[in-house]
Amino acid sequence: MTTPRFDPRFTENVINAMGPNTSPRIRQVMGSLIRHVHDFARENELTVDEWMAGVKLLNWAGQMSDDKRNEGQLVCDVLGLESLVDEITFTLAGEAKDAPTATAILGPFFRADTPYRPNGTDIVLTKPKGGGEMVFMHGHVIDFRTKKPLAGADVEVWQASTNGLYEQQDPEQAEHNLRGKFKTDEEGRYYFYCLRPTPYPIPNDGPSGKLLTLMDRHPFRPAHIHILATKEGYRPLTTQIFDRQDKYLDNDSVFAVKDSLIVDFVPLKNDPHASLELEYDVKLVADAVSNDV
């Protein structure tokens, strides 16, 4: 019989150290996490120097994070963890042939203080360098089951500029540039002007960029617009929509693209403010609807 190289009882001792007042869910999650992390360390025979490098990376992510950029979340993104959790959550919420709008990751550049704007507003507050194509984006928020439009729903959007930066990354952009929160009208409609999104690299000045370099991976995200849709009595929806013409759809650096979230920007006539149009309806699921859709 082969003698184990490492103490075979160590991991179970750590798991069993949880006290009797630990909730069942915490016991399950933390027990699994401890077991997997310990197995990872043993499998790779992790050294103290390597472990400390990981600790420093986590500390670095925390030190860089604030209310305008979540570097810890970005680390999870480049590892595919946020997109995997999103997939799990969406699957558990229930699937159907005519499914509600698919979810996607929130991303690290969400701002909780985005202001409401009237429908029809142009959210391009700072003219992008190098030009940019203007888009009239519009659609309805509808009940997934009844197909009826939902008045008074909130549709929040945000996107990067053509230089690849969100406004909080770029001192030359106006506050809340390319962001807006819109309330649907009595017909469930929202509408505004924005830019056709362009691909951009995720920031390389932090641990996320360092991890991508270590793994010899490119940093680019396909062109997308973020959407957060909410309505009282309905499940909040966090998603992204992607330009079908983008070359990074098949190798998004954070693995967030779903086929149902790929959209087409089409030519728009007789609008002096925009040359392109994007119509996009958002389907929300009522809270009371059971998971077996």
Side-chain angles (χ1 to χ4, degrees), residues 2 20 60 76 94 100 103 115 134 173 190 214 248 254 260 290:
T2 304
W60 185 14
C76 292
T103 54
M134 289 296 299
Q173 293 185 44
Y190 72 91
L214 289 171
Y248 293 106
V254 303
S260 64
S290 66

Side-chain angles (χ1 to χ4, degrees), residues 4-289:
R5 295 184 63 198
F6 308 108
D7 183 354
R9 300 164 299 177
F10 182 79
T11 297
E12 290 305 318
N13 288 339
V14 175
I15 293 172
N16 293 335
M18 286 186 279
N21 294 324
T22 305
S23 74
R25 181 59 175 169
I26 291 295
R27 188 178 299 277
Q28 175 188 359
V29 171
M30 291 306 301
S32 178
L33 175 64
I34 292 167
R35 184 171 284 107
H36 282 287
V37 169
H38 285 204
D39 285 345
F40 164 79
R42 281 187 289 262
E43 177 184 340
N44 293 282
E45 297 186 357
L46 206 63
T47 67
V48 170
D49 288 343
E50 291 169 333
W51 167 72
M52 276 306 303
V55 171
K56 289 178 180 179
L57 185 141
L58 292 176
N59 290 342
W60 185 14
Q63 291 158 0
M64 290 191 69
S65 297
D66 55 27
D67 60 351
K68 294 184 177 182
R69 171 176 174 174
N70 191 328
E71 185 67 20
Q73 189 171 3
L74 193 54
V75 169
C76 292
D77 288 349
V78 301
L79 296 177
L81 181 58
E82 187 177 5
S83 288
L84 175 59
V85 172
D86 170 68
E87 180 190 3
I88 293 168
T89 302
F90 184 67
T91 300
L92 292 177
E95 296 174 330
K97 291 182 179 179
D98 182 19
T101 302
T103 54
I105 62 175
L106 181 69
F109 297 108
F110 169 74
R111 291 188 61 170
D113 59 349
T114 296
Y116 280 97
R117 304 190 190 279
N119 277 308
T121 296
D122 182 353
I123 65 172
V124 185
L125 307 180
T126 300
K127 185 177 180 180
K129 293 182 178 180
E133 297 179 276
M134 289 296 299
V135 176
F136 177 59
M137 181 171 171
H138 63 100
H140 293 81
V141 177
I142 60 177
D143 184 295
F144 160 65
R145 283 193 174 274
T146 68
K147 311 304 182 218
K148 293 181 179 179
L150 297 174
D154 288 342
V155 178
E156 183 171 350
V157 297
W158 64 103
Q159 62 177 146
S161 191
T162 54
N163 64 355
L165 298 175
Y166 289 86
E167 50 87 14
Q168 67 264 56
Q169 300 174 275
D170 185 359
E172 295 187 12
Q173 293 185 44
E175 183 82 352
H176 296 115
N177 182 47
L178 295 169
R179 296 178 184 270
K181 187 183 294 185
F182 301 90
K183 194 168 288 290
T184 57
D185 62 18
E186 64 279 0
E187 297 179 5
R189 299 179 304 167
Y190 72 91
Y191 48 99
F192 60 92
Y193 291 92
C194 63
L195 290 175
R196 183 176 192 166
T198 50
Y200 64 84
I202 66 172
N204 64 357
D205 58 343
S208 305
K210 182 172 183 178
L211 281 174
L212 287 175
T213 300
L214 289 171
M215 294 186 289
D216 191 26
R217 283 172 43 196
H218 77 78
F220 281 91
R221 294 227 55 216
H224 62 279
I225 298 173
H226 293 266
I227 299 176
L228 174 60
T230 57
K231 166 73 174 173
E232 185 176 358
Y234 288 80
R235 299 174 191 163
L237 174 76
T238 302
T239 195
Q240 301 176 24
I241 50 177
F242 299 89
D243 188 342
R244 191 179 306 277
Q245 302 304 316
D246 195 277
K247 65 179 181 179
Y248 293 106
L249 290 177
D250 294 330
N251 58 352
D252 178 11
S253 62
V254 303
F255 312 99
V257 178
K258 295 183 176 75
D259 288 345
S260 64
L261 297 178
I262 298 173
V263 299
D264 293 293
F265 293 83
V266 299
L268 177 63
K269 298 180 180 179
N270 303 319
D271 189 326
H273 200 62
S275 60
L276 295 171
E277 177 183 15
L278 173 63
E279 183 174 3
Y280 192 76
D281 290 342
V282 177
K283 303 173 186 177
L284 295 184
V285 176
D287 281 333
V289 174

